[in-house]
Amino acid sequence: MIIEGRVFYRGSVRELYLFIDGGVIKDIRLSIDKSQSPNIRFMDRGNIILPGFIDIHVHLRDFEQAYKEDFYTGTASAAAGGVTVVFDMPNTVPRNNRLSILQYRDSVADKKSVVDYGLYYGLPPNLDELFGFEDIAIGMKVYPDDLHSYKIDHISDVMIYNHAKDIVTVFHAEEPDGYISGDDSPSIEREGIKYIAGYTKSIGLPTHITHVTCRSFIFDAKNIYTSLTVDSTPHHIMLSSEDLKYPYGRVRPPLRDRECVESLVKELNGLIDIYATDHAPHTWEEKMDGFNGFPGLETAYNVLATLYNKGVLSLNRIVELYSTNPAIRFKLDNILGYIEVGYLANLTVVDLYSSVRVDPTKFFSKAKHSPFDGMKLYGRVISTFVRGVEVYNGEDITVKPGYGVNIKSFKRGFK
Ligand code: DOR
Ligand code: ZN
């Protein structure tokens, strides 16, 4: 197949032809002889073809929480948001922190997913459990409660193992007691981040802190330990605690005040390395009961496009935050994060300018609610390609459940 259109290529948008075969970009040309090329997919000049988005923080639930979301609905939600690879979090029921569960989860994901996926595992109770994780997992997630349940030396041992196997350790950094008691004050996060920065510096292992909510926290963290990377979410970047009444906008870490939000937005061009949704679906009844989190995949690109239209973000930076930097951080940048010959043909085709009114009843996610409900945002996902196959055509999912694969197995096969 050949895709013709305006392509984001090496930092600028150019009219190009992408030759795709076997899921891989085989050639990139400025012109072709159309009489010799029957199989051309033309993308409207008003749209731009980007390296496929990669979301490193998504809760696909399934297992006993399939009533909230499952691998099909969660990855369909990703496809509709232009996301070509999602990394699934391990706070599942049962918890994904043993090899047998990780293997089982991989088999469920493999049968149901429509985009590619990576799997995090949760901190395992003992070191013997670790062997074999590296064949399946892309990362390990440490929650504040883990700091209560496990000795810090155990966490260090697991992190050393992870580091040797190219598994990224990701921290939810809130001070454990405050987190468990549901304390909403910013100091809970500030203290949590300082602790993780100091701790990871002491063991000398590069680490990632997810969903950071205020500039000063990132500044502190990177000041303590330069080998830290961080991500921030669409909701923490665009919504403040004043915008939303609880329980509607309840999330962990909580939404912050306007000053924090404004400081954070600026860091999209500075200290923030990665953009990630923390897509965390719950039923409406659960939300009313005060559960933390909400779906984010189907509005994430709109938030970026809105910031683009406000002049806050360049197209270059959107691609870095939501494609290239995730690929680099998780050592997938030999196959993902760029449109280049030899790379997977994961492509997100977008319109930057049209406006949308957020309507969660239309979500592919099982969670039909959103903190952005009713807001006017910009941008539209026109089409999502995973390994050269269109999985979303702007309206529907166009592949069967099971098309998506574990990106880790693919990476192995590719080397
Ligand atoms: O708001 C949140 N929801 N924060 C978390 O840390 C967990 C997540 C969930 O799994 O629902
Ligand atoms: Zn999360």
Side-chain angles (χ1 to χ4, degrees), residues 54 56 274 320-331:
I54 301 170
I56 70 158
I274 289 174
E320 274 176 10
L321 288 166
Y322 211 22
S323 183
T324 313
N325 289 353
I328 292 171
R329 185 66 187 87
F330 286 79
K331 297 204 172 7

Side-chain angles (χ1 to χ4, degrees), residues 158-185:
V158 178
M159 281 185 67
I160 290 164
Y161 184 89
N162 287 346
H163 187 62
K165 304 287 182 185
D166 275 353
I167 293 175
V168 177
T169 303
V170 174
F171 279 88
H172 176 143
E174 289 190 273
E175 188 281 309
D177 290 328
Y179 172 77
I180 290 165
S181 71
D183 187 337
D184 272 358
S185 50

Side-chain angles (χ1 to χ4, degrees), residues 59 61 91 141 143 172 179 211 250-253 278 280-282 292-293:
H59 298 262
R61 312 291 192 206
N91 60 338
K141 177 74 180 292
Y143 285 92
H172 176 143
Y179 172 77
H211 50 42
R250 265 203 87 83
V251 63
R252 225 49 233 192
D278 195 6
H282 298 289
N292 291 309

